[in-house]
Amino acid sequence: MYYPQQSPGIGHKLPTHHDQSPWARPTHTHSAFGHPPPPSPGYPLYTNGSVNPMQHHMPTMQHHHQSSLSHFSSPPANGNVHSQHVGVAQNSPGSAASQIITPQWQQQLLKCEMIRVSRSPHHRARASAMASRTVTKSAIPITNPNKPPPPPNGVVKDSESSASVDGTNGATVNGTTNGAGPSPKSSTANTVDHPSSTVAPIAEISRPSEVKRPENTWNSLDMGGVQIKNLPPTSGLFSFTFLANLYLNHNSLSSIPPEISKLRHLELLDLSGNSLTTVPPELGMLTQLKELYLFDNHITNLPHELGTLHQLQTIGVEGNPLDASLKAIVQKEGTPALISYLRDSCPMPPSPPEREWKQLISQAERDAIDADPNAETFRVLCYNILCERCATERLYGYTPSWALAWEYRKELILQEILNYDADFLCLQEVDNAQYEDYFVPSLEERGYEGVYWPKSRFKTMNDADRRLVDGCATFFKRDKYQLVEKHLVEFSTKAMQRPDFKKTDDMFNRVLVKDNIAVICLFENRKTGTRFIIANTHIYWDPAFRDVKLVQVALLIDEVDKVASHFAKYPPRLPSPAPKDASPDAPPPRPPPVYADGSKIPTIVTGDYNSVPESGVYEYLSNGSVPSDHPDFMSHSYGKYTSDGLKHRLGLKSAYAGTGDQTLTNYTPSFKGGIDYIWYSTANLAVNAVLGEIDKSYLDKAVGFPNVHYPSDHICIVSEFRVKPPRDAQPPRPAPVFPNSRS
C-alpha cells in the first residue's frame, strides 16, 4: 500500500537485513495508484506466459510473502543510507507539502521499490533460472521468455552461462546470464533504418546494412549484489557487445569507466545502490538504452551527453541528492522531458579537424599536370543534404532541436558545399522551397547555375505542398561550362515505356509506385570543347525492395547510354580564338575533341544509391553486368532484365575504390556505412584525389549525424578528376603499291 504522507525512502520504514530472500515481493493492489504502472523490460514476472509488472519475480504459484510497499524502502546492499532516505524529505513527492503525484513519478517510485528488493546476489539471474525450470505438477506451465528460440535443426542449446570480471581484490565474480525477465525486444524492430532520412531513426524498418547485435545464446548479465568495488577499463565485461541487459546494482562501485560505451546494444542498465557521485558522459553513446536505473546513489548532476538517449523510457533518479531542477523535470513531465532538456542545453563540443584530401597520384604526376597547359581537371561533389521536411525531432531524437532547424542547418550546408570549390555540385533531398529561396540565390552569387527537378509526386500536389517535395539539384560553374541539354529520368515512367516489362504485377506493385528520379545534364567546357555527362540520382531506400533499386539503376544506365550516343553526334564546337596576350612561342591550343560514340564522352553517375558495396547495385555498376538470377532481383520478373541479365558498356568505377577504405557516407546510431557514390568512366577519366573521411576520434564520440557540426545524416563526398587526352588522329595510310609482275 502506498502511503501518501511519506516518501517511499523514509528511513523509519527500512526493513531488517534478515530478509535477504531474492523472492521477496510486495502484494500491491492496483487501487493504490488507480492503474497498473507501465511495464519495465527488466523486471517482469513469468505467470501464465505473460508479464505482470505489478508482481515481481514470482517463479512459483505456491510462494507467498505478504508485505507493504513501504517494506521495500530499503537502503542499498552496501549499507549506504542517503540523507534523503532519513526522515521526511521536504521536496519528496510523497510528503505533505506535495500531495499530487504525476503518473510519471508513480512509475519512478514503483520501479525504485522493485529495484530495492533486488539487492541479494544475482537476484534476477536466480529468478530467471527458477522461472525456466519445469514444474511438472503445475496446472499452468511456466516458461522462460529469456530463453532463445531453438536452432532450425531442433537442437536446443543451454542458455545459462556465466562471465567473470576482475575486481580490485583480484577475485573473480561470477554473474549468471539470462539476467532479468524477458529481454527487451530486439533493437531491429526499433532502429533506424533508413539512410535517406524519410523514416525515423526509431522506425520499424531495417537499414541496408544495419548495425545488428552480435549473435549469442544469452544477452543478459546479472552481477548485482556481489560487492564489486571497481570495474577496470580493461575488464572483459566491455567485450560483451552482445549484451542487452546489464545489472551492476547493489555493489560498491564509486565510478563507471568510459569503456561502458562499447556496449552499444544495451537496452537496460542498472547501476542502482552503488556509491556513484556521477556517471560518465560516454553513457550517451548507448543510444539503444530504454531503461537506465541510477536509484540510491550520490549523484547530484547528470552530464548533458545523456541527452542523446532518445529511446530512453525511464531514468531512475530517486534516492539521489539530484539537482532540484532536474528532479522536478522528471517528477512533472517524466524521462523524455529530462532527456530533451539535457540534449538541447548541451554545450557545443569542439569542432572536428578539417577533412584532408587523399592523393591518388604522386607529386611528380601532380607537378606535370600543373605544368601542362592542355591538362583538364575538375571536381565533383555529391551530397544528400537532408531536406527540411525530414529533419524533425521525431526522426532524429538524438540531435538538439536547434541544430535541426533549417535556419541553422542551411548555413552549414552551404559552407560545406563551398569549402571544396567543386565544378559540379550534385545534391539530393533538395526541396522546391530550398532550391528556389536559398540555393539558387546563394550559389548564383558564387558563380553557379543550377538544374533541378522534384520527385514525380510533385505533379499531383497543390502549389503549397509542391514546395515541400524534394528532388535532385545539379549546379555547375557557369563561366567554365555550358549546359547543352538536361534530361529528367522518372523511373516509373521509363518502366512503363518498356514493352518487355509487359505490365507485370511486379512492375505495378513494386516499381511504378516509387517516384524516384534522376537528372542527366550534358555540358561542354567553354574553352576546350570537352564534353561531360553528369547524372545525379536518388535511388529508393527500403532494403526490402532490393529489386527495385537494381531496376532503377538499370533504367538510369540505359538512359545515360542513350543520351550519350545522341550527344556524340553533335558536331564539335569551333576552336576558341587564341588570347591576345598569348606568347607567340606558346603551343597552339588542342582542337576540340571529336567523339566517335557515346562511350568516349567523360561520364559521371553520382548520387545516393542507398546500397552498400555488397549489393547488386554496386556489382552492376562496377562490373558492368549482373546475371539474370541475381539474388537482388528477389525472384521477381522484369522482362529482359531478369531473362537476360543486366549489362552496360560505360566502364564505370567508384572514385573511392582506389582508397582501400570503406568510405563512410551515412552516419546514424544504427547505421554507419557507404551508400553514396561518384562513378566515373575509366576510359576517359582518371582520379587525382578524393576528399578523406571525418576524423575517427571525432566519430568515436559522435552518436550520429546530423549534429551541431554536420547538418545532414549523410556526409558529402568529393573527387578530383583529370580528363585523359584523346589519342591524336593518325593520318590515313597511303594506298599500297604492288610491283607490276609483268615488267
Side-chain angles (χ1 to χ4, degrees), residues 485-543:
E485 284 183 7
K486 57 184 178 181
H487 298 266
L488 168 65
V489 181
E490 295 178 293
F491 298 126
S492 58
T493 302
K494 294 298 178 183
M496 281 288 291
Q497 294 171 351
R498 290 183 64 94
D500 60 312
F501 276 23
K502 296 181 180 179
K503 314 288 188 301
T504 62
D505 290 343
D506 289 334
M507 184 190 72
F508 278 112
N509 297 332
R510 301 181 69 81
V511 175
L512 297 188
V513 294
K514 312 298 185 295
D515 66 342
N516 300 83
I517 64 164
V519 176
I520 303 176
C521 297
L522 312 182
F523 298 100
E524 273 190 353
N525 186 305
R526 293 182 183 272
K527 181 179 179 181
T528 66
T530 303
R531 295 175 182 174
F532 299 93
I533 299 174
I534 309 293
N536 179 15
T537 189
H538 190 179
I539 300 301
Y540 189 61
W541 65 270
D542 193 342

Side-chain angles (χ1 to χ4, degrees), residues 673-707:
I675 54 178
D676 306 79
Y677 305 96
I678 301 175
W679 299 93
Y680 69 98
S681 53
T682 57
N684 37 54
L685 292 174
V687 182
N688 291 343
V690 295
L691 183 63
E693 296 187 358
I694 298 172
D695 181 71
K696 187 178 185 301
S697 62
Y698 177 86
L699 290 177
D700 289 342
K701 298 178 181 179
V703 168
F705 297 158
N707 66 4

Side-chain angles (χ1 to χ4, degrees), residues 144-473:
N144 178 12
N146 246 352
K147 194 170 184 179
N153 58 9
V155 178
V156 178
K157 296 182 179 180
D158 183 11
S159 63
E160 301 297 323
S161 178
S162 63
S164 64
V165 176
D166 295 330
T168 53
N169 58 4
T172 300
V173 180
N174 294 327
T176 306
T177 61
N178 274 341
S183 62
K185 293 181 180 179
S186 173
S187 60
T188 56
N190 292 322
T191 53
V192 184
D193 177 88
H194 137 86
S196 61
S197 309
T198 58
V199 171
I202 54 175
E204 296 184 356
I205 297 293
S206 298
R207 281 187 176 272
S209 180
E210 186 182 342
V211 181
K212 297 181 179 179
R213 180 188 302 141
E215 293 185 3
N216 200 67
T217 56
W218 53 279
N219 59 16
S220 297
L221 179 60
D222 182 2
M223 301 175 62
V226 290
Q227 296 303 307
I228 300 176
K229 296 181 179 179
N230 183 40
L231 287 177
T234 57
S235 169
L237 170 65
F238 304 121
S239 65
F240 295 166
T241 56
F242 52 83
L243 285 177
N245 305 317
L246 177 60
Y247 304 95
L248 294 169
N249 56 293
H250 296 98
N251 286 299
S252 301
L253 296 171
S254 59
S255 65
I256 301 295
E259 284 71 18
I260 190 74
S261 64
K262 296 179 180 179
L263 306 181
R264 296 292 178 89
H265 299 288
L266 279 183
E267 297 183 9
L268 186 151
L269 176 61
D270 191 352
L271 300 174
S272 304
N274 283 284
S275 300
L276 302 176
T277 57
T278 185
V279 292
E282 287 77 10
L283 277 183
M285 301 298 295
L286 306 181
T287 55
Q288 296 295 321
L289 271 183
K290 297 175 179 61
E291 304 285 327
L292 174 60
Y293 300 137
L294 306 174
F295 299 116
D296 299 331
N297 278 285
H298 306 289
I299 299 171
T300 58
N301 209 342
L302 296 172
H304 286 88
E305 287 78 3
L306 297 191
T308 58
L309 302 180
H310 61 286
Q311 299 194 63
L312 197 65
Q313 299 168 6
T314 303
I315 181 169
V317 296
E318 172 69 352
N320 287 279
L322 190 65
D323 179 86
S325 61
L326 297 180
K327 187 172 183 179
I329 295 175
V330 180
Q331 289 176 330
K332 296 177 182 178
E333 303 177 68
T335 295
L338 176 63
I339 295 302
S340 295
Y341 169 77
L342 294 174
R343 179 197 64 203
D344 291 342
S345 60
C346 183
M348 184 175 292
S351 299
E354 292 290 333
R355 295 170 67 182
E356 298 181 354
W357 286 89
K358 290 186 177 181
Q359 301 295 331
L360 302 184
I361 57 175
S362 66
Q363 187 58 45
E365 291 174 304
R366 171 70 69 177
D367 294 340
I369 292 173
D370 294 340
D372 184 359
N374 290 321
E376 189 171 351
T377 63
F378 65 99
R379 289 181 179 179
V380 177
L381 176 145
C382 176
Y383 193 14
N384 181 323
I385 67 167
L386 177 59
C387 64
E388 182 179 7
R389 172 178 55 85
C390 296
T392 65
E393 183 177 343
R394 185 182 71 85
L395 302 181
Y396 299 95
Y398 51 87
T399 306
S401 57
W402 54 268
L404 279 177
W406 175 244
E407 291 302 314
Y408 177 85
R409 293 197 307 119
K410 69 180 183 180
E411 299 294 337
L412 289 181
I413 293 171
L414 184 63
Q415 178 183 347
E416 183 80 356
I417 289 172
L418 296 175
N419 269 350
Y420 308 111
D421 192 30
D423 297 271
F424 300 101
L425 310 175
C426 298
L427 310 179
Q428 304 86 43
E429 283 202 36
V430 181
D431 67 38
N432 223 335
Q434 294 167 357
Y435 178 77
E436 296 175 356
D437 299 342
Y438 184 69
F439 287 108
V440 168
S442 298
L443 291 174
E444 277 186 351
E445 294 177 0
R446 277 82 172 182
Y448 287 94
E449 186 177 332
V451 176
Y452 173 78
W453 266 291
K455 291 179 179 177
S456 302
R457 73 187 74 163
F458 174 89
K459 301 175 182 178
T460 64
M461 295 182 170
N462 58 43
D463 292 341
D465 292 337
R466 284 180 178 180
R467 289 178 58 80
L468 302 178
V469 178
D470 66 285
C472 298

Side-chain angles (χ1 to χ4, degrees), residues 526-665:
R526 293 182 183 272
K527 181 179 179 181
T528 66
T530 303
R531 295 175 182 174
F532 299 93
I533 299 174
I534 309 293
N536 179 15
T537 189
H538 190 179
I539 300 301
Y540 189 61
W541 65 270
D542 193 342
F545 289 82
R546 303 192 313 274
D547 56 320
V548 173
K549 299 172 191 275
L550 200 49
V551 168
Q552 288 181 345
V553 171
L555 291 169
L556 170 61
I557 296 302
D558 287 349
E559 195 66 16
V560 169
D561 192 20
K562 183 174 71 174
V563 168
S565 297
H566 183 66
F567 195 22
K569 297 176 182 179
Y570 287 12
R573 63 183 298 130
L574 296 175
S576 301
K580 296 179 180 180
D581 57 349
S583 171
D585 299 331
R590 180 174 291 160
V594 178
Y595 300 98
D597 59 69
S599 64
K600 303 298 188 296
I601 302 176
T603 301
I604 299 291
V605 185
T606 186
D608 177 2
Y609 290 82
N610 280 315
S611 303
V612 294
E614 296 77 20
S615 64
V617 166
Y618 191 98
E619 180 182 342
Y620 171 56
L621 291 171
S622 58
N623 296 343
S625 64
V626 293
S628 59
D629 59 348
H630 193 280
D632 278 11
F633 279 124
M634 302 173 67
S635 301
H636 294 292
S637 176
Y638 296 109
K640 291 182 180 179
Y641 287 172
T642 49
S643 62
D644 302 340
L646 300 179
K647 292 183 180 180
H648 72 79
R649 58 173 187 158
L650 299 184
L652 300 176
K653 184 178 181 180
S654 171
Y656 280 78
T659 63
D661 297 330
Q662 177 77 22
T663 306
L664 181 72
T665 69

